[in-house]
Amino acid sequence: MVDIRRLRAETEAVKRALARRDGSLPASVDRILALDEERRRAIGEVNDLKAERNTASKRVGELKRAGEDVEALISQTRELGTRIDALDDIVRSADDEINDILLEMPNTPLDRVPEGDESANETHSTWGEPAAFDFEAKPHWELGERLGILDLPRGAKVAGSGFPLLRGAGARLQRGLINFFLDVHTREHGYTELRVPYLLSPDSMVGTGQLPKFADESYQTERDGMWLLPTAEVPITNLHRDELLELDDLPVRYTAYSPCFRREAGAAGKDTRGLLRVHQFDKVELVRYELPERSLEALEELTREAEVLLERLGLPYRRVILATGDLGQSGAMTYDLEVWAAGVAKWLEVSSCTTFTDYQARRARLRFRRSQGDKPEFVHTLNGSALALPRVVAALLETYQDEDGAVSLPEVLHPYVGSERLEPSS
């Protein structure tokens, strides 16, 4: 969350930054500061009244020992207690409202983030040339059905729409991609692999910003109040919640595969065919805890680690800087990586790489100390999809398709899948 001390010290700068996201957000800053002034004034009055009450209580003891009447003084101390209780209620109420507003308030975007909605996103760089065919390219759902590897009707039968089912070589292809991604990240990029829980506590969801803002986008278990993970970012970022790390512990670099569950509320009717928008999907995630001064450098490194995978798969892609109106609530700056899918003639997002600065760290209380005796600081957290599987599979099928419906796999996947080519099912 945004630091309230920053709101006090850099009020106009923060309001300008938030206004780049949403013109109504500066009013929330004003409300927080008004509540903060009210609570600080009440705390000051409480401290004065407590000192007055302590003095009166001592005087009561002195008068009692002297055998004098103390009823009036006792009545005065009771009145002071009543006023203190009322002021404490004001402080608690202000604290609760401030916290509620801060939990909903998005991160301040970095200056280099373009302003505007999705149409203001900027292409940073491109790699590769889209495949050219001398036949009409088929979409991945037609290819998958003909290959016998994608069974959308039966997936919908057992779980509902948006829950794809892969079979045979399709399941093997997905498993091979996951292993390939993890091998590169652990063997070449220095990440430690984790196997994370798939059910999460509310505190974990609050820690990364999924709650309260995106409750409607997530699945919750009714009996236990647990949440199905929307991304492995959540358990990994919360792994060191409430801990104080030492300088030698940083950077922390974790990677994990997990299924991800998202209700996609508000996305009805968008990209409903095939694998483009689903409620359950597989993803390999990268998460870093970094020194604040390395935040932007680490974002470039992390994004490059995702790009390496696309290049080895031979998938043309572009790197896009998200504009303020397309930036996630917790993010300060995000690069999206989009691959070209010839069958649907679209750029498909397969990765989002983000620096959250200290926004998540404040929510999850992730701190470090540079040396013994130094004041603790908040780390900067980053994460990136490297990569999300459904659209990678879609792009692979559409990019490497042959006219007869077969798909030739890129060489890097041959040992992972156990074959060089997917043939149409008989």
Side-chain angles (χ1 to χ4, degrees):
M1 62 179 66
V2 179
D3 184 3
I4 192 169
R5 290 172 297 182
R6 184 179 170 210
L7 297 185
R8 296 180 193 129
E10 305 171 26
T11 303
E12 294 307 315
V14 173
K15 288 167 74 171
R16 284 194 299 270
L18 290 173
R20 297 179 67 218
R21 281 182 174 266
D22 183 337
S24 67
L25 288 171
S28 296
V29 176
D30 290 335
R31 177 59 180 163
I32 287 174
L33 293 178
L35 289 165
D36 184 50
E37 181 62 29
E38 181 182 8
R39 69 178 290 280
R40 294 169 81 183
R41 187 167 53 247
I43 289 171
E45 190 173 347
V46 164
N47 291 336
D48 291 342
L49 291 174
K50 285 182 176 178
E52 186 178 344
R53 184 174 62 179
N54 289 339
T55 300
S57 296
K58 290 180 182 177
R59 183 62 178 155
V60 167
E62 293 170 356
L63 292 175
K64 278 186 175 181
R65 286 192 292 274
E68 298 185 27
D69 182 19
V70 295
E71 286 305 316
L73 198 52
I74 290 175
S75 178
Q76 179 185 343
T77 60
R78 287 173 180 161
E79 289 176 4
L80 290 170
T82 300
R83 289 167 62 190
I84 289 170
D85 289 343
L87 288 167
D88 284 341
D89 288 340
I90 290 174
V91 172
R92 278 192 295 270
S93 178
D95 281 337
D96 289 344
E97 187 174 348
I98 288 171
N99 189 61
D100 288 344
I101 297 173
L102 285 174
L103 285 175
E104 293 276 2
M105 181 176 287
N107 201 354
T108 52
L110 301 183
D111 290 342
R112 65 182 66 189
V113 175
E115 185 172 348
D117 60 15
E118 184 179 359
S119 64
N121 292 348
E122 296 179 0
T123 299
H124 174 276
S125 57
T126 61
W127 183 90
E129 293 292 332
F133 300 97
D134 55 8
F135 58 90
E136 184 178 352
K138 298 180 180 63
H140 63 277
W141 56 85
E142 290 184 15
L143 292 165
E145 183 179 2
R146 187 169 181 183
L147 292 168
I149 64 173
L150 182 60
D151 193 339
L152 296 175
R154 288 191 175 89
K157 179 169 67 175
V158 299
S161 62
F163 294 89
L165 186 148
L166 297 172
R167 62 165 66 237
R172 193 164 63 249
L173 171 62
Q174 184 123 314
R175 175 161 49 90
L177 283 165
I178 292 167
N179 289 338
F180 166 55
F181 297 163
L182 289 171
D183 283 349
V184 171
H185 296 319
T186 56
R187 296 173 184 175
E188 301 180 29
H189 298 155
Y191 286 79
T192 299
E193 183 179 353
L194 302 177
R195 192 73 173 183
V196 297
Y198 299 162
L199 287 174
L200 305 171
S201 69
D203 284 346
S204 292
M205 295 284 281
V206 169
T208 47
Q210 269 70 28
L211 292 180
K213 181 74 172 180
F214 299 108
D216 288 344
E217 300 288 329
S218 304
Y219 287 99
Q220 184 180 25
T221 61
E222 183 177 349
R223 179 178 298 180
D224 303 309
M226 302 285 282
W227 296 80
L228 275 68
L229 87 170
T231 164
E233 167 201 348
V234 181
I236 300 176
T237 303
N238 281 275
L239 197 64
H240 296 283
R241 188 176 72 227
D242 295 320
E243 295 181 19
L244 179 60
L245 304 176
E246 300 299 334
L247 185 63
D248 291 344
D249 297 325
L250 299 175
V252 172
R253 300 180 183 180
Y254 290 129
T255 184
Y257 152 76
S258 77
C260 304
F261 304 90
R262 298 183 187 176
R263 296 185 64 235
E264 295 286 359
K270 299 179 181 178
D271 296 328
T272 55
R273 298 294 300 274
L275 301 173
L276 300 188
R277 190 177 294 275
V278 291
H279 298 307
Q280 176 185 321
F281 60 96
D282 289 333
K283 181 156 65 81
V284 172
E285 194 77 0
L286 304 178
V287 172
R288 291 190 181 202
Y289 305 172
E290 292 280 354
L291 293 170
E293 60 267 28
R294 285 206 76 252
S295 188
L296 282 174
E297 182 182 355
L299 177 61
E300 297 296 328
E301 293 171 356
L302 184 144
T303 306
R304 183 65 195 137
E305 289 161 353
E307 289 176 337
V308 164
L309 302 177
L310 295 173
E311 291 173 13
R312 294 188 188 178
L313 292 172
L315 294 177
Y317 69 87
R318 64 184 185 184
R319 185 198 288 201
V320 176
I321 306 175
L322 296 192
T324 54
D326 203 23
L327 193 62
Q329 169 173 293
S330 302
M333 179 175 172
T334 294
Y335 289 122
D336 270 6
L337 300 182
E338 301 174 344
V339 297
W340 178 254
V344 295
K346 287 183 178 180
W347 291 99
L348 305 179
E349 176 205 327
V350 294
S351 175
S352 280
C353 300
T354 302
T355 174
F356 304 99
T357 59
D358 62 357
Y359 185 88
Q360 290 181 329
R362 290 183 181 280
R363 299 171 77 106
R365 299 168 298 283
L366 289 167
R367 301 177 302 158
F368 77 101
R369 184 170 48 197
R370 293 183 187 268
S371 62
Q372 289 295 326
D374 283 353
K375 183 179 179 180
E377 302 175 47
F378 289 100
V379 302
H380 278 204
T381 60
L382 302 94
N383 89 284
S385 312
L387 298 160
L389 273 296
R391 293 176 180 179
V392 170
V393 170
L396 277 171
L397 297 179
E398 295 183 13
T399 297
Y400 288 101
Q401 63 179 294
D402 296 331
E403 188 172 9
D404 64 358
V407 172
S408 299
L409 297 176
E411 186 175 353
V412 72
L413 290 182
H414 294 175
Y416 287 96
V417 181
S419 61
E420 300 178 6
R421 183 176 168 88
L422 304 180
E423 301 284 353
S425 171
S426 60

